[in-house]
Amino acid sequence: MNHQLSDLSPEGLRTFVGEQLERSRARTVQLTDAVDTDDLVKQHSKLMSPLVWDYAHIGNQEELWLVRDVGGREPLRQDIDELYDAFQHPRADRPSLPLLGPVETRAYVTEVRDKVLDVLDHVKFDPEKLGADRELVHNAFAFGMITQHEQQHDETMLATHQLREGAPVLDAPPPPAGRPLPSPEVFVPGGVFEMGTSIEPWALDNERPAHGVHVKPFVIDTVPVTNGDYLRFVLGGGYQDPQWWSEAGWAHVQKASLVAPRFWSQVDGEWWRLRFGHREQLPLDEPVMHVCFYEAEAYAKWAGKRLPSEEEWEFAARFDPSSGRTRRFPWGDESPGPQHANLGQRHLRPAPVGAYPAGASPLGVEQLIGDLWEWTSSDFRPYPGFRAWPYDEYSLVFFGPDYKVLRGGSFGTDEVVARGTFRNWDYPIRRQIFAGFRCARDARPEEVHAEELHA
Ligand SMILES: [Fe+2]
């Protein structure tokens, strides 16, 4: 998936879209077939919808955008639109709604998909034949939006699997092994770079438009903070000492009685973690996961550092100092392959640090894409020149200080979503998502000076 999408013939685009729709559906089916009927309809956590709600909601959004809007076809099930409108019912209330059961849900999403494939067969992608909905159909944007929507819900369903109690039902091979790092930190020279995008055809509204941003020189961790690093903070009394926490963070830690990352436990002095039903010894060289923004912020302060801003994160991930260009990904413009990043539920955990040397940025920062979402210090805000499109509820209604930006995608994020420009956001208290962090710090004058002599 790349901006060369616009070079494809209408037939090539049709084939590409068909493959993406098929891939996302295969994943949805895998995640929902893995559990029995009880587990499909049950709410595994107040934070999550029942899996069967996500499943029918995926079909309903696909019907609204592709069958009715793009296809101009008659509604299949207008009566259920309200039930599956995420803005009508908070997650906690969804189990009490008269939802479609598993059998009805499967029949509904299949029927929608059959109609969508027919729409796809007939839709005109040729620029000269595009009518009023030109923008929605141009480069198959609406299809891209819907396949990303399904993959994003698949990641949410994967998080529900992590919260589900009982024996493991998902399996995947282990990620590649780690390696010793050339250096724990990377100096980033700063300067003006192009942030965001105006050319990625399937980029969503909050990633647009591309705009120049000035970043001061800074230093960033080569890789995310590991379980081993974080354990030292836990054992050093980090959760008991208010000096490391922001006011809001300290209030939350006390109210929620946090003492360690979610899914960690200590038995007879040994640390364990629960991962998709497997209880295993805490792997010290794997990035720490299931920490909230406040925990990330506190660790960074304890370590004498801070979290990177979103601008710094993207500069470290995309800027190529030798050409002055902003790349699509840390490793270049090529779409992610298994050698670059841990994405797409290929593995059911983050990889140990150092596992992806081929995914390094030109400056040598690693594992920026995949493994886990990284908390940044930034609130979720629109870029200059932002335009809400194609609907306000994707981003516009979420902008403001309530949400913190996460970047990079996790092992549960699909490559169709994990662009170098993709922005995720969540409340600073959330821990059920596949999120961790890396630290940054201001560059010291002597570091800036040494770099200048070097250049
Ligand atoms: Fe949704």
Side-chain angles (χ1 to χ4, degrees), residues 57 61 149 153:
H57 166 80
Q61 286 291 304
H149 178 256
H153 272 276

mmCIF file of all heavy atoms in Angstrom, residues 57 61 149 153, ligand 1:
data_model
loop_
_atom_site.group_PDB
_atom_site.id
_atom_site.type_symbol
_atom_site.label_atom_id
_atom_site.label_comp_id
_atom_site.label_asym_id
_atom_site.label_seq_id
_atom_site.Cartn_x
_atom_site.Cartn_y
_atom_site.Cartn_z
ATOM 1 N N HIS A 57 -20.844 -4.161 13.776
ATOM 2 C CA HIS A 57 -20.506 -2.753 13.527
ATOM 3 C C HIS A 57 -19.588 -2.631 12.300
ATOM 4 O O HIS A 57 -19.755 -1.720 11.485
ATOM 5 C CB HIS A 57 -19.843 -2.168 14.775
ATOM 6 C CG HIS A 57 -19.148 -0.858 14.567
ATOM 7 N ND1 HIS A 57 -19.811 0.351 14.521
ATOM 8 C CD2 HIS A 57 -17.832 -0.578 14.381
ATOM 9 C CE1 HIS A 57 -18.922 1.330 14.321
ATOM 10 N NE2 HIS A 57 -17.720 0.792 14.222
ATOM 11 N N GLN A 61 -20.835 -0.360 9.156
ATOM 12 C CA GLN A 61 -20.068 0.752 8.572
ATOM 13 C C GLN A 61 -19.791 0.479 7.087
ATOM 14 O O GLN A 61 -19.837 1.383 6.263
ATOM 15 C CB GLN A 61 -18.726 0.925 9.313
ATOM 16 C CG GLN A 61 -18.868 1.541 10.678
ATOM 17 C CD GLN A 61 -19.274 3.006 10.612
ATOM 18 O OE1 GLN A 61 -18.621 3.833 9.995
ATOM 19 N NE2 GLN A 61 -20.396 3.337 11.227
ATOM 20 N N HIS A 149 -10.762 0.588 8.767
ATOM 21 C CA HIS A 149 -11.699 0.543 9.891
ATOM 22 C C HIS A 149 -11.811 -0.883 10.429
ATOM 23 O O HIS A 149 -11.763 -1.119 11.640
ATOM 24 C CB HIS A 149 -13.071 1.065 9.423
ATOM 25 C CG HIS A 149 -14.116 1.009 10.492
ATOM 26 N ND1 HIS A 149 -15.106 0.049 10.510
ATOM 27 C CD2 HIS A 149 -14.319 1.771 11.581
ATOM 28 C CE1 HIS A 149 -15.876 0.244 11.571
ATOM 29 N NE2 HIS A 149 -15.425 1.284 12.240
ATOM 30 N N HIS A 153 -10.656 -2.228 14.121
ATOM 31 C CA HIS A 153 -11.520 -2.983 15.049
ATOM 32 C C HIS A 153 -10.929 -4.349 15.358
ATOM 33 O O HIS A 153 -11.103 -4.867 16.461
ATOM 34 C CB HIS A 153 -12.934 -3.116 14.498
ATOM 35 C CG HIS A 153 -13.781 -1.948 14.890
ATOM 36 N ND1 HIS A 153 -14.430 -1.877 16.104
ATOM 37 C CD2 HIS A 153 -14.031 -0.787 14.260
ATOM 38 C CE1 HIS A 153 -15.050 -0.708 16.186
ATOM 39 N NE2 HIS A 153 -14.830 -0.029 15.084
HETATM 40 FE FE FE B 1 -15.811 1.819 14.364
#
